[in-house]
Amino acid sequence: MFLDSFVISYNDIILNALKMIDKNKKSFLVSVDSKNKVVGIVTEGDIRRYLIEGGSIQENIPFNKNFISINNNEPFTNLFFYFKQEKINFIPILNEKDELVNIISKKQFYLMLLKDMRYDIKSLPYLDENELDYEVFDRPWGFYKSTLLADHVQSKIITVFPNEELSLQKHKRREEHWIIIKGEGKIILEDSIMEVEQGRYIYIPKGCKHKVINSSAKENLIFAEVQLGDYFGEDDIIRYEDKYGRI
């Protein structure tokens, strides 16, 4: 049922293609012949250009026969090569009969790498990019971007805006390792206060109260954070002080 919203007959009309694209929200369709063999790809951009040149929405879809696909027996690592091509944002996955069995997008592929997942082509989950919403989080003090999500480790790049600070907090189920990438500031570890600058490394054990402050009025403070433990949820943040009223 998932693939039905992406598959259209090669001799269908543009109007029906536009309705399907509007429904699947992914801006493309896979074109098949009467034997369900994949024969081409049609994108919203292809249709738009065709209509601008004088085509009619009642005409047959202008599908592209020169498309990239991957066979479900190929190594997962082949996707690295395919997605290096600038305009390739999704790839149909075909079986030995050239029938569509799945679709993978560039965003979905990168998310799998981010999560340290290992797949073969046949076991790929269906296309669902909603998970990408958590890749970058905004916070009142700045934002962070996840770079790895695995069972016992999570890593982030954290940006703290000028004159902003994280809450004074601790964690019961993870330790943290920080390295300052850019800028300067102050870090509180229990009763100690440290001045930090580019290249400084800080180790934060489990249960240790800590806080980072960007003391600059103009420059962002950027640091890498590697968390080691068995749980990385937000509910493992125990706050003691917070500039933004989140206690």
Side-chain angles (χ1 to χ4, degrees):
M1 292 298 294
F2 159 78
L3 293 176
D4 290 348
S5 61
F6 292 93
V7 174
I8 190 168
S9 173
Y10 76 98
N11 59 4
D12 210 329
I13 62 174
I14 290 175
L15 177 61
N16 291 336
L18 289 173
K19 289 179 180 179
M20 291 184 66
I21 287 174
D22 183 64
K23 185 176 180 179
N24 71 33
K25 308 297 184 186
K26 300 298 182 185
S27 301
F28 70 89
L29 296 171
V30 177
S31 180
V32 299
D33 64 16
S34 58
K35 296 181 180 180
N36 285 324
K37 177 181 177 180
V38 175
V39 294
I41 297 292
V42 57
T43 69
E44 193 171 27
D46 294 332
I47 293 174
R48 181 174 60 252
R49 287 185 287 272
Y50 187 78
L51 295 176
I52 289 173
E53 292 171 0
S56 165
I57 60 174
Q58 297 298 327
E59 294 179 31
N60 287 42
I61 55 174
F63 64 90
N64 182 359
K65 297 179 181 179
N66 299 316
F67 64 97
I68 290 178
S69 63
I70 187 169
N71 186 274
N72 62 358
N73 288 318
E74 289 185 56
F76 179 77
T77 50
N78 283 6
L79 290 168
F80 282 99
F81 171 75
Y82 295 138
F83 281 128
K84 281 182 180 178
Q85 301 185 49
E86 182 179 356
K87 295 184 178 180
I88 303 300
N89 293 313
F90 59 88
I91 296 175
I93 300 172
L94 312 181
N95 62 18
E96 294 77 7
K97 298 180 181 180
D98 289 333
E99 298 169 331
L100 183 69
V101 293
N102 206 343
I103 298 167
I104 183 169
S105 73
K106 182 180 290 187
K107 289 183 178 180
Q108 184 185 21
F109 175 63
Y110 287 163
L111 179 62
M112 291 174 187
L113 300 180
L114 178 69
K115 283 189 169 184
D116 194 29
M117 292 183 174
R118 291 173 174 83
Y119 289 102
D120 59 39
I121 296 296
K122 287 184 178 179
S123 67
L124 290 176
Y126 283 134
L127 181 63
D128 180 6
E129 295 171 4
N130 293 328
E131 293 180 271
L132 289 168
D133 291 343
Y134 67 76
E135 185 184 351
V136 178
F137 287 111
D138 66 312
R139 291 291 184 264
W141 42 259
F143 64 91
Y144 71 84
K145 176 180 176 64
S146 296
T147 56
L148 177 65
L149 299 167
D151 287 342
H152 298 289
V153 60
Q154 177 170 220
S155 61
K156 303 175 180 178
I157 301 297
I158 298 175
T159 298
V160 185
F161 294 150
N163 292 324
E164 301 297 344
E165 62 187 55
L166 277 66
S167 58
L168 180 64
Q169 59 185 258
K170 73 176 182 181
H171 314 290
K172 292 183 177 180
R173 300 178 63 177
R174 65 179 186 252
E175 63 183 56
E176 296 180 346
H177 302 260
W178 294 358
I179 186 165
I180 306 300
I181 298 172
K182 181 182 178 182
E184 56 186 32
K186 297 179 181 180
I187 289 181
I188 298 172
L189 284 180
E190 292 291 346
D191 297 325
S192 301
I193 300 177
M194 297 181 291
E195 301 285 341
V196 294
E197 65 289 318
Q198 186 178 37
R200 183 69 181 269
Y201 163 76
I202 304 95
Y203 167 58
I204 303 168
K206 292 179 184 178
C208 178
K209 292 181 184 178
H210 59 280
K211 177 179 184 176
V212 59
I213 302 167
N214 184 351
S215 53
S216 171
K218 296 181 179 180
E219 187 177 33
N220 288 342
L221 174 64
I222 303 173
F223 64 98
E225 176 182 274
V226 177
Q227 304 171 355
L228 302 177
D230 62 3
Y231 181 71
F232 308 109
E234 291 288 297
D235 53 351
D236 190 37
I237 299 176
I238 303 168
R239 291 189 173 94
Y240 293 89
E241 299 174 2
D242 186 65
K243 179 178 176 179
Y244 315 102
R246 295 175 297 170
I247 296 177

